[in-house]
Amino acid sequence: MSAAAGGAPTAPAVGAPRARTRGGGRLRAYASHAAGRLGGAAVSLVAVLVTGFFLFRVVPGDPVRAMTHGMPTSAEQMDTLRRQFGLDQPLWRQFTDYCTGALAGDLGTSYQFRAPVAELIADRLPATLLLTGTAVVLYSALGLWLGTRSAWHRGGPGDRLNTGMALTLWSIPSFWLGLLLITVLSVGAGPLPGLFPTGGMDSGDTAGAARVLDTAHHMVLPVLTLVAVGYAQTLLVMRSSLLDEMGGDYLTTARAKGLRDAAVRRRHAVPNALLPTVTMVFINLGHVAAGSILVETVFSWPGLGGLFYQALSVPDLPLVQGLFLVFAGAMILMNLLADLLYPLLDPRVAR
C-alpha cells in the first residue's frame, strides 16, 4: 500500500542499486586512474623524442669522418655525404624531420649499415628477447621465491646466507662477472677445461634440433651472468616488502582463525607484499627489449644491446636515436601496464 492510501510507506529496495553504485564508482575511479596514467605515458614519450634527438647531438665525433676513416675522401665527397644524410640542415629542421619520421614509424637510415633503422632493430630484436627474456623470467621467479623465504624465516641461517649473497652479487658489475665466467668456464682455469663458448649465439654450422641445443649452449654464460646480478635486486625488494607486512594485525587474525603458517603466507602476506615487487618485475620486463648492453657486448651476442654499442661508437645518429626510442618506449609501456595493474591488486590505489 502506498503512503497516499494511508498505509505505511514502502521501503525502497536499496540492495541492488547500492551494489551497482559501488561497482560504478569503482569503474569510474579506475577509468580516471587509467586516463591519468595514459596521459603521463604520452607526455613521457614526447620527452623521450626530444631527449633522444638532442642528447646524442652532444656526443663527440663526426659521423661522416668516422665512416670515411682510412679511406681517401675529398672535401667535396665529405660535403656530399653530409647532404645525403641531412647533416647540412639546420638543427631545427633535423629535429622536425626526426619527429615527423618517428611518429610515422620511419626511424631513418643507418649511416654505417646503409639500411633502414627499423629493419636493423627488427633483425636483432629476437636475439635480445630470447636472451634477456629467459634471464628475466628465471631471476624474477628465483628472487620472489628466495625473498619470500628469507623474510618469513628472517634472522635464520638461510636468510643471512641469501641476503649476504644477494648484496654481494648486486654490487658486482655485470661485465666484470661475465669476463670472470668466460675466463673460468670458457677458457678454462688450471685443471678445469673450458666448457662453454666464449661468445656468439650459435656455431653457424647446425640446423634443426642441433641448432636449438647449440643456441642453448651459447646462452648458458650470458644468462647466468644476468640471473646472478638480477635476482639479487628482486630478492631484496620482496624481502623488505614482506617484512613490512608481517607485523600486520590481519596476519594475527588469520592465524587466530586456525590457518596454517604456509596458508597465511601464501593467501594473505605475499599478495599484499607484491606491489613493490610488481613494479620491479615490470621494470625488468622493460629491460627485455633493451637487452643488456654490457653483457651482450662481452659475450658478442647479436642483439640490440650490442647494436647500440656499435652505433654509439661511430656515432650512427639515426640508429642510436631509434634504439633509444625503442628502449625508452618499452620502459614507458611496462610502467604503464604496472600502473594499470595496481588497482586490480589493491583497489585503494585508484581512490
Side-chain angles (χ1 to χ4, degrees), residues 137-158:
V137 170
L138 290 176
Y139 71 62
S140 295
L142 183 63
L144 288 171
W145 179 60
L146 290 178
T148 300
R149 293 185 62 85
S150 292
W152 205 252
H153 303 287
R154 63 189 184 281

Side-chain angles (χ1 to χ4, degrees), residues 41-341:
V43 172
S44 298
L45 189 57
V46 172
V48 166
L49 279 172
V50 176
T51 304
F53 178 83
F54 289 102
L55 176 64
F56 299 108
R57 288 302 188 282
V58 301
V59 175
D62 183 351
V64 173
R65 191 174 299 278
M67 285 186 294
T68 58
H69 180 71
M71 296 184 292
T73 309
S74 65
E76 291 77 10
Q77 291 173 321
M78 299 276 285
D79 292 337
T80 301
L81 286 174
R82 288 192 176 90
R83 284 194 300 272
Q84 179 182 345
F85 294 132
L87 295 175
D88 62 326
Q89 299 291 330
L91 193 60
W92 67 268
R93 179 64 180 272
Q94 295 183 44
F95 177 67
T96 56
D97 290 344
Y98 160 72
C99 290
T100 303
L103 293 176
D106 181 10
L107 300 179
T109 302
S110 167
Y111 294 163
Q112 56 181 324
F113 296 103
R114 306 295 178 91
V117 170
E119 291 184 7
L120 292 171
I121 293 175
D123 289 341
R124 298 289 191 100
L125 183 59
T128 288
L129 294 180
L130 176 63
L131 178 66
T132 55
T134 301
V136 166
V137 170
L138 290 176
Y139 71 62
S140 295
L142 183 63
L144 288 171
W145 179 60
L146 290 178
T148 300
R149 293 185 62 85
S150 292
W152 205 252
H153 303 287
R154 63 189 184 281
D159 177 35
R160 291 196 294 270
L161 177 63
N162 286 330
T163 304
M165 184 68 69
L167 289 171
T168 301
L169 290 173
W170 198 9
S171 64
I172 294 178
S174 58
F175 74 91
W176 184 86
L177 181 59
L179 291 173
L180 180 63
L181 290 177
I182 288 175
T183 302
V184 176
L185 298 178
S186 291
V187 179
L192 185 66
L195 302 175
F196 300 100
T198 57
M201 186 173 175
D202 54 52
S203 301
D205 55 355
T206 56
R211 184 174 183 180
V212 174
L213 294 176
D214 185 41
T215 301
H217 190 215
H218 282 74
M219 285 177 60
V220 171
L221 292 187
V223 167
L224 182 59
T225 302
L226 292 172
V227 169
V229 176
Y231 99 95
Q233 189 176 19
T234 308
L235 182 151
L236 294 172
V237 170
M238 184 62 191
R239 179 182 182 276
S240 175
S241 180
L242 187 54
L243 285 176
D244 290 339
E245 295 292 333
M246 286 176 61
D249 293 337
Y250 68 96
L251 297 184
T252 303
T253 302
R255 291 189 180 95
K257 291 180 177 179
L259 290 179
R260 293 181 301 173
D261 197 58
V264 173
R265 179 181 70 241
R266 185 177 63 255
R267 297 180 187 176
H268 299 279
V270 171
N272 285 318
L274 276 178
L275 282 184
T277 313
V278 165
T279 302
M280 183 65 58
V281 170
F282 273 87
I283 289 175
N284 291 337
L285 288 175
H287 285 304
V288 169
S292 175
I293 297 173
L294 295 177
V295 172
E296 288 190 12
T297 302
V298 167
F299 288 98
S300 302
W301 189 264
L304 295 183
L307 184 63
F308 185 80
Y309 177 80
Q310 289 179 268
L312 197 60
S313 62
V314 172
D316 189 337
L317 295 179
L319 186 53
V320 168
Q321 290 168 176
L323 287 168
F324 180 77
L325 182 61
V326 170
F327 297 165
M331 293 298 300
I332 291 172
L333 177 61
M334 289 300 108
N335 277 282
L336 175 62
L337 292 178
D339 286 337
L340 296 179
L341 181 62

Side-chain angles (χ1 to χ4, degrees), residues 18-30:
R18 185 174 298 172
R20 288 196 296 269
T21 301
R22 286 198 298 267
R26 286 196 295 267
L27 185 59
R28 286 193 298 271
Y30 183 80

